[in-house]
C-alpha cells in the first residue's frame, strides 16, 4: 500500500474512534445538577403566613374602651394584691376581674360579687347572681365620706356627681364642687332619694350596709335597677386593712397602679413607725371613749383602735378582750379598771376638761383627768362638726399613728405636729 493511502486510512480510523468515544457524553452532560438560580426559578418554595402577635399592654385602660377585642390580650397588666384587708378578694382574667365582698356587715351570711368587664370587650358567661359593671366607670355617687379621699388620691374627683350629704364633708374640693352646683345630695340610708339617683344616671353608687332593711340604702337602689356597690372597709379590724380599700375603689376606674403606689407609701411609713414603737420598754396604760346614755362603749381588744394603740406603744387596758367591735360596759366596770390609767383618749365631743367634768363629776377621780393627759381625735372639724378623722384619717392611718406616738412616745417622732388629735384644754382655774 502506498504511503499516501496508508496515511489517509489511519486518519479515517482515528476520526471514527473519536466519534465513537464522544457519543455517550451527551446524556452525562444533561444529568449535571442545575444551578441554584435555576432551582429558584423552576421550583419556588412556599412561604408561611405570618401570625399576628397579640398586643401587649403596659398599663390599664383608664379612659374609654377597647376598639378591637383580642382574647389573648391581658387588659389589666396593673393588678392589686391584698396584704392587709380581709373583707374582700379579687381574681383577674384577661378582660374582666371578679371582686367578692366577703363580710359586708357584722354577722352577714351574704357575699356580694361584682364582675368588672373591660369596656368594649364581651361579658363572660357564668357568675349567676353577680353584678356586671363595665370599667373604667365614668361617673360615681358616694354615700360615705370615707370614699372621698380615695377619689381624691386617685385623681378622679371630677367623676363624682352625687353624695349622700355635704354637711359633714371636710374635703375642700368636694365642698367647692357642691357650692358650684356640680354635685347633688341624694340622702342616706333607707331615706335615699331614688328618683334623684335615676336622674343622675351614675355608672355606680358606692355605699355601705349594716344588715338592716330599715337603714340600708342598697335594697332600694338595686330594686330600681341602679348599679350599687357595697364597700365594707369599716368592717376591717386593722388600720392598714381599712386603708387598703383604696384598691377596691381603684378597680372600678382601672387605676390599680396608682392605688398600689399610694398605699405602699402609706403602709411603709406606718410599719416603720410601728416597728420603732414596739421596741419601747415602757408602755403607758390607756383607755378610750365616754358613756352614751349610761353605756360606755369600749373598743374591743381585736378592733382596729386596739391595734392602733398597740402599734403606738401603748398598753390598752382591754387588749385581752376578743371582740372586734365595741364592748358595752357600765361606769363602775370602767372605773375599776381605768381609774389609774395614764391616758384617756377619743373622748367623744369634748374639747376641754371642763366639758368632761360637766358631763359627770365622777370623772374627776380618774388619774388621766387629774394629770391632764386627755386627748381627742377632733382637731379637724368643719363648721357642722364633720370630723376629718373619719374621712381622710381612714385612708391615712400612718398620720393617725404618728399622732398617737407623739402622745405616748414623743421622742420617736421629733418634729411631728398633731393632725387629727388635740390635747383637751385644761380646766378653768377658779
Amino acid at each position: 500500500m502506498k504511503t499516501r493511502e496508508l496515511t489517509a486510512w489511519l486518519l479515517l480510523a482515528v476520526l471514527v474512534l473519536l466519534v465513537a468515544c464522544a457519543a455517550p457524553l451527551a446524556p452525562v452532560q444533561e444529568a449535571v445538577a442545575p444551578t441554584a438560580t435555576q432551582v429558584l426559578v423552576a421550583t419556588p418554595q412556599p412561604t408561611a403566613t405570618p401570625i399576628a402577635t397579640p398586643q401587649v399592654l403596659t398599663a390599664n385602660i383608664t379612659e374609654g374602651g377597647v376598639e378591637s377585642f383580642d382574647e389573648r390580650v391581658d387588659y389589666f397588666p396593673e393588678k392589686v394584691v391584698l396584704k392587709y384587708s380581709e373583707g374582700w378578694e379579687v381574681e383577674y382574667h384577661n378582660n374582666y376581674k371578679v371582686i367578692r365582698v366577703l363580710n359586708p356587715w357584722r354577722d352577714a351570711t351574704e357575699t356580694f360579687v361584682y364582675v368588672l368587664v373591660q369596656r368594649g370587650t364581651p361579658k363572660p358567661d357564668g357568675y349567676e347572681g353577680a353584678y356586671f359593671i363595665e370599667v373604667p366607670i365614668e361617673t360615681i355617687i358616694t354615700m360615705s365620706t370615707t370614699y372621698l379621699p380615695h377619689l381624691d388620691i386617685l385623681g378622679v374627683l371630677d367623676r363624682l356627681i352625687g353624695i349622700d350629704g355635704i354637711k359633714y364633708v371636710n374635703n375642700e374640693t368636694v365642698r367647692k364642687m357642691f357650692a358650684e352646683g356640680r354635685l347633688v345630695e341624694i340622702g342616706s340610708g333607707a331615706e335615699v332619694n331614688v328618683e334623684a339617683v335615676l336622674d343622675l344616671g351614675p355608672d355606680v353608687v358606692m355605699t355601705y350596709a349594716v344588715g338592716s332593711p330599715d337603714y340600708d340604702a342598697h335594697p332600694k337602689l338595686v330594686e330600681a335597677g341602679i348599679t350599687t356597690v357595697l364597700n365594707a372597709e369599716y368592717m376591717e379590724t386593722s388600720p392598714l386593712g381599712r386603708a387598703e380599700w383604696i384598691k377596691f375603689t381603684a378597680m372600678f376606674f382601672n387605676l390599680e397602679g396608682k392605688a398600689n403606689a399610694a398605699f405602699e407609701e402609706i403602709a411603709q411609713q406606718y410599719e416603720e413607725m410601728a416597728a420603732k414603737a414596739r421596741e419601747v420598754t415602757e408602755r403607758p396604760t390607756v383607755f378610750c371613749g365616754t358613756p352614751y346614755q349610761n353605756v360606755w362603749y369600749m373598743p374591743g381588744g381585736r378592733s382596729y383602735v386596739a391595734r392602733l394603740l398597740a402599734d403606738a406603744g401603748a398598753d390598752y387596758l382591754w387588749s385581752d378582750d376578743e371582740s372586734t367591735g365595741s364592748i358595752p360596759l357600765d361606769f363602775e366596770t370602767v372605773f375599776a379598771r381605768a381609774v389609774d390609767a395614764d391616758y384617756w383618749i377619743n373622748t367623744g365631743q369634748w374639747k376641754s376638761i371642763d366639758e368632761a367634768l360637766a358631763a359627770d363629776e365622777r370623772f374627776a377621780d380618774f388619774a388621766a383627768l387629774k394629770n391632764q393627759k386627755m386627748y381627742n381625735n377632733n382637731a379637724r372639724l368643719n363648721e357642722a362638726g364633720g370630723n376629718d378623722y373619719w374621712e381622710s384619717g381612714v385612708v391615712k392611718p400612718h398620720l393617725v399613728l404618728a399622732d398617737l406616738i407623739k402622745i405616748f412616745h414623743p421622742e420617736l417622732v421629733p418634729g411631728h405636729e398633731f393632725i387629727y388629735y388635740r390635747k383637751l384644754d385644761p380646766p378653768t382655774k377658779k
Side-chain angles (χ1 to χ4, degrees):
M1 182 178 294
K2 296 181 180 180
T3 302
R4 180 177 298 177
E5 293 175 348
L6 178 59
T7 301
W9 184 85
L10 289 173
L11 290 173
L12 180 60
V14 171
L15 181 61
V16 171
L17 180 61
L18 290 172
V19 172
C21 292
L25 294 178
V28 173
Q29 183 68 27
E30 291 177 0
V32 174
T35 65
T37 301
Q38 291 172 322
V39 170
L40 292 174
V41 173
T43 56
Q45 298 297 314
T47 57
T49 302
I51 300 176
T53 302
Q55 182 184 10
V56 178
L57 300 181
T58 58
N60 294 357
I61 299 170
T62 58
E63 298 283 349
V66 174
E67 295 183 0
S68 180
F69 172 62
D70 186 337
E71 64 181 5
R72 300 169 299 169
V73 174
D74 180 3
Y75 289 99
F76 308 113
E78 298 174 293
K79 299 174 173 59
V80 299
V81 176
L82 300 180
K83 183 177 179 181
Y84 302 92
S85 292
E86 299 177 348
W88 66 291
E89 61 186 20
V90 57
E91 65 181 43
Y92 282 89
H93 301 267
N94 274 7
N95 75 303
Y96 66 96
K97 41 197 175 182
V98 182
I99 297 177
R100 292 181 175 86
V101 178
L102 307 174
N103 192 25
W105 57 78
R106 194 168 304 283
D107 300 322
T109 57
E110 299 178 59
T111 296
F112 290 80
V113 180
Y114 305 101
V115 181
L116 279 51
V117 184
Q118 171 59 51
R119 192 179 296 275
T121 71
K123 169 184 171 182
D125 295 328
Y127 300 101
E128 184 178 355
Y131 298 90
F132 288 81
I133 303 169
E134 282 193 327
V135 293
I137 62 172
E138 297 175 350
T139 57
I140 187 172
I141 292 175
T142 62
M143 297 188 69
S144 172
T145 59
T146 59
Y147 315 147
L148 298 177
H150 295 178
L151 303 183
D152 199 357
I153 292 171
L154 295 172
V156 288
L157 271 177
D158 60 320
R159 302 192 196 185
L160 181 68
I161 60 174
I163 53 176
D164 55 337
I166 194 64
K167 183 176 181 180
Y168 297 114
V169 172
N170 280 268
N171 186 285
E172 289 299 328
T173 300
V174 175
R175 295 183 68 83
K176 181 180 179 182
M177 291 170 65
F178 180 79
E180 294 173 348
R182 296 158 57 192
L183 296 179
V184 175
E185 291 180 302
I186 64 164
S188 61
E191 302 302 317
V192 60
N193 187 335
V194 175
E195 290 73 20
V197 177
L198 288 171
D199 288 342
L200 290 171
D203 289 335
V204 161
V205 175
M206 185 171 289
T207 186
Y208 62 96
V210 297
S212 170
D214 295 331
Y215 185 82
D216 294 339
H218 73 277
K220 287 187 174 181
L221 295 171
V222 171
E223 184 181 4
I226 298 165
T227 301
T228 307
V229 172
L230 290 186
N231 183 320
E233 50 84 15
Y234 82 97
M235 290 295 297
E236 295 288 342
T237 59
S238 72
L240 288 176
R242 288 191 169 197
E244 197 169 23
W245 279 75
I246 188 176
K247 298 179 182 179
F248 177 88
T249 303
M251 294 189 69
F252 294 88
F253 299 93
N254 284 352
L255 288 170
E256 284 95 324
K258 185 171 285 190
N260 286 338
F263 179 75
E264 285 306 312
E265 183 177 350
I266 291 168
Q268 180 179 350
Q269 292 185 46
Y270 186 102
E271 294 288 15
E272 288 176 355
M273 287 187 290
K276 292 180 180 180
R278 292 189 195 105
E279 296 177 354
V280 298
T281 56
E282 296 184 7
R283 303 174 70 87
T285 54
V286 60
F287 69 106
C288 306
T290 59
Y292 176 73
Q293 295 183 349
N294 298 321
V295 179
W296 201 313
Y297 293 96
M298 192 69 63
R302 296 296 175 266
S303 66
Y304 81 97
V305 173
R307 179 62 181 272
L308 267 170
L309 294 174
D311 289 342
D315 178 13
Y316 179 45
L317 293 178
W318 274 265
S319 62
D320 59 342
D321 177 80
E322 296 296 323
S323 304
T324 58
S326 297
I327 321 162
L329 303 171
D330 57 33
F331 181 93
E332 289 73 21
T333 300
V334 175
F335 185 84
R337 185 178 295 197
V339 63
D340 295 322
D342 297 313
Y343 289 91
W344 184 357
I345 70 167
N346 298 358
T347 57
Q349 301 297 319
W350 300 342
K351 296 181 180 180
S352 68
I353 292 178
D354 283 343
E355 292 178 75
L357 293 172
D360 193 326
E361 61 183 16
R362 292 177 297 176
F363 293 147
D365 294 326
F366 284 90
L369 187 146
K370 292 177 181 179
N371 298 324
Q372 299 184 29
K373 291 186 176 181
M374 298 176 67
Y375 292 82
N376 205 0
N377 53 11
N378 60 354
R380 295 166 65 92
L381 301 177
N382 67 15
E383 64 277 6
N387 192 343
D388 198 33
Y389 176 87
W390 301 111
E391 188 174 321
S392 68
V394 175
V395 78
K396 297 178 180 180
H398 60 307
L399 301 181
V400 175
L401 181 65
D403 277 5
L404 291 172
I405 292 176
K406 182 178 176 64
I407 294 172
F408 307 129
H409 306 284
E411 73 281 359
L412 297 181
V413 285
H416 176 74
E417 300 293 334
F418 283 128
I419 299 173
Y420 300 104
Y421 276 84
R422 62 185 299 276
K423 189 174 184 178
L424 265 62
D425 294 338
T428 303
K429 295 181 180 180
K430 295 182 179 181

Coordinates of all heavy atoms in Angstrom, one line a residue, residues 381-409:
L381 N -62.3 69.7 112.5 CA -63.8 69.7 112.4 C -64.2 70.8 111.5 O -63.7 71.9 111.5 CB -64.5 69.9 113.8 CG -64.2 68.9 114.9 CD1 -64.9 69.4 116.2 CD2 -64.6 67.5 114.5
N382 N -65.3 70.5 110.6 CA -65.8 71.6 109.9 C -66.9 72.3 110.7 O -67.1 72.0 111.9 CB -66.4 71.1 108.5 CG -67.6 70.2 108.7 OD1 -68.2 70.1 109.8 ND2 -68.0 69.5 107.6
E383 N -67.5 73.3 110.1 CA -68.5 74.1 110.9 C -69.7 73.4 111.4 O -70.3 73.8 112.4 CB -68.9 75.3 110.1 CG -69.8 75.0 108.8 CD -68.9 74.6 107.6 OE1 -67.7 74.5 107.8 OE2 -69.5 74.4 106.5
A384 N -70.0 72.2 110.8 CA -71.1 71.4 111.2 C -70.7 70.3 112.1 O -71.5 69.5 112.6 CB -71.8 70.8 110.0
G385 N -69.4 70.2 112.4 CA -68.9 69.1 113.3 C -68.4 67.9 112.6 O -68.1 66.9 113.2
G386 N -68.4 68.0 111.3 CA -67.8 66.9 110.5 C -66.4 66.7 110.8 O -65.6 67.6 110.7
N387 N -66.0 65.4 111.2 CA -64.7 65.2 111.7 C -63.8 64.5 110.6 O -64.1 63.4 110.2 CB -64.8 64.2 112.9 CG -63.4 64.1 113.7 OD1 -62.4 64.5 113.2 ND2 -63.5 63.7 114.9
D388 N -62.7 65.1 110.3 CA -61.9 64.6 109.2 C -61.1 63.3 109.6 O -60.6 62.6 108.8 CB -60.8 65.7 108.8 CG -60.2 65.4 107.4 OD1 -60.9 64.8 106.6 OD2 -59.0 65.7 107.3
Y389 N -61.1 63.1 110.9 CA -60.6 61.8 111.4 C -61.3 60.6 110.8 O -60.7 59.6 110.5 CB -60.7 61.7 112.9 CG -60.2 60.4 113.6 CD1 -58.9 60.2 113.9 CD2 -61.1 59.4 113.8 CE1 -58.5 59.0 114.5 CE2 -60.7 58.2 114.4 CZ -59.4 58.0 114.7 OH -59.0 56.9 115.3
W390 N -62.6 60.8 110.6 CA -63.4 59.7 110.0 C -63.5 59.9 108.5 O -64.3 59.2 107.8 CB -64.8 59.8 110.6 CG -64.8 59.6 112.1 CD1 -65.2 60.5 113.0 CD2 -64.5 58.4 112.8 NE1 -65.0 59.9 114.3 CE2 -64.6 58.6 114.1 CE3 -64.1 57.1 112.3 CZ2 -64.3 57.7 115.1 CZ3 -63.8 56.1 113.3 CH2 -63.9 56.4 114.7
E391 N -62.8 60.8 107.9 CA -62.7 61.0 106.5 C -61.3 60.6 105.9 O -61.0 59.5 105.6 CB -63.2 62.4 106.1 CG -63.4 62.7 104.6 CD -63.9 64.0 104.3 OE1 -64.8 64.5 105.1 OE2 -63.5 64.7 103.3
S392 N -60.5 61.6 105.9 CA -59.1 61.3 105.4 C -58.3 60.4 106.3 O -57.4 59.7 105.9 CB -58.4 62.6 105.1 OG -58.1 63.3 106.3
G393 N -58.6 60.5 107.6 CA -57.9 59.7 108.6 C -58.0 58.2 108.4 O -57.1 57.4 108.7
V394 N -59.1 57.7 107.7 CA -59.3 56.3 107.5 C -58.3 55.8 106.5 O -57.8 54.7 106.6 CB -60.8 56.1 107.0 CG1 -61.0 54.6 106.6 CG2 -61.7 56.4 108.1
V395 N -58.0 56.6 105.5 CA -57.1 56.1 104.4 C -55.6 56.6 104.7 O -54.7 56.2 104.0 CB -57.6 56.7 103.0 CG1 -57.2 58.1 102.8 CG2 -57.0 55.8 101.9
K396 N -55.4 57.3 105.8 CA -54.1 57.8 106.1 C -53.8 57.4 107.6 O -53.4 58.2 108.4 CB -54.0 59.3 106.0 CG -54.2 59.8 104.5 CD -54.1 61.3 104.4 CE -54.3 61.7 102.9 NZ -54.2 63.2 102.8
P397 N -53.8 56.1 107.9 CA -53.5 55.7 109.3 C -52.1 55.9 109.7 O -51.9 56.0 110.9 CB -53.8 54.2 109.2 CG -53.6 53.8 107.8 CD -54.0 55.0 107.0
H398 N -51.2 56.2 108.8 CA -49.8 56.5 109.2 C -49.8 57.8 109.9 O -49.0 58.0 110.8 CB -48.9 56.4 108.0 CG -49.2 57.4 106.9 ND1 -50.5 57.5 106.3 CD2 -48.5 58.4 106.3 CE1 -50.5 58.4 105.4 NE2 -49.3 59.0 105.4
L399 N -50.7 58.7 109.5 CA -50.7 60.0 110.2 C -51.4 60.0 111.5 O -51.0 60.6 112.5 CB -51.4 61.1 109.3 CG -50.8 61.3 107.9 CD1 -51.5 62.4 107.1 CD2 -49.3 61.7 108.0
V400 N -52.4 59.1 111.6 CA -53.1 58.9 112.9 C -52.1 58.2 113.9 O -52.0 58.6 115.0 CB -54.3 58.0 112.7 CG1 -54.9 57.6 114.1 CG2 -55.3 58.6 111.8
L401 N -51.3 57.3 113.4 CA -50.4 56.6 114.2 C -49.3 57.6 114.7 O -48.9 57.5 115.9 CB -49.7 55.4 113.4 CG -48.7 54.6 114.2 CD1 -49.3 53.9 115.4 CD2 -47.9 53.6 113.3
A402 N -48.9 58.4 113.8 CA -47.9 59.4 114.2 C -48.4 60.3 115.4 O -47.6 60.6 116.3 CB -47.5 60.3 113.0
D403 N -49.7 60.7 115.3 CA -50.3 61.5 116.3 C -50.2 60.7 117.7 O -49.9 61.3 118.7 CB -51.7 61.8 116.0 CG -51.9 63.0 115.1 OD1 -50.8 63.6 114.7 OD2 -53.0 63.4 114.8
L404 N -50.6 59.4 117.6 CA -50.7 58.6 118.9 C -49.3 58.4 119.4 O -49.1 58.5 120.7 CB -51.4 57.3 118.6 CG -52.9 57.4 118.3 CD1 -53.4 56.0 117.8 CD2 -53.6 57.8 119.5
I405 N -48.3 58.2 118.6 CA -46.9 58.0 119.1 C -46.5 59.3 119.7 O -45.7 59.3 120.7 CB -46.0 57.6 118.0 CG1 -46.4 56.2 117.5 CG2 -44.5 57.6 118.4 CD1 -45.6 55.6 116.3
K406 N -46.9 60.5 119.2 CA -46.5 61.7 119.8 C -47.1 61.9 121.1 O -46.5 62.5 122.0 CB -47.0 62.9 118.9 CG -46.6 64.3 119.4 CD -47.0 65.4 118.4 CE -46.7 66.8 119.0 NZ -45.2 67.0 119.2
I407 N -48.3 61.3 121.4 CA -48.9 61.4 122.7 C -48.1 60.5 123.7 O -47.8 61.0 124.8 CB -50.4 60.9 122.6 CG1 -51.2 61.9 121.8 CG2 -50.9 60.7 124.0 CD1 -52.6 61.4 121.5
F408 N -47.8 59.3 123.3 CA -47.3 58.3 124.2 C -45.7 58.3 124.3 O -45.1 58.1 125.3 CB -47.7 56.9 123.9 CG -49.2 56.7 123.8 CD1 -49.8 56.2 122.7 CD2 -50.1 57.2 124.8 CE1 -51.2 56.0 122.6 CE2 -51.4 57.1 124.7 CZ -52.0 56.5 123.6
H409 N -45.1 58.5 123.1 CA -43.6 58.5 123.0 C -43.1 59.6 122.0 O -42.7 59.3 120.9 CB -43.2 57.1 122.5 CG -43.7 56.0 123.3 ND1 -43.2 55.6 124.5 CD2 -44.7 55.1 123.0 CE1 -43.8 54.6 125.0 NE2 -44.7 54.2 124.1

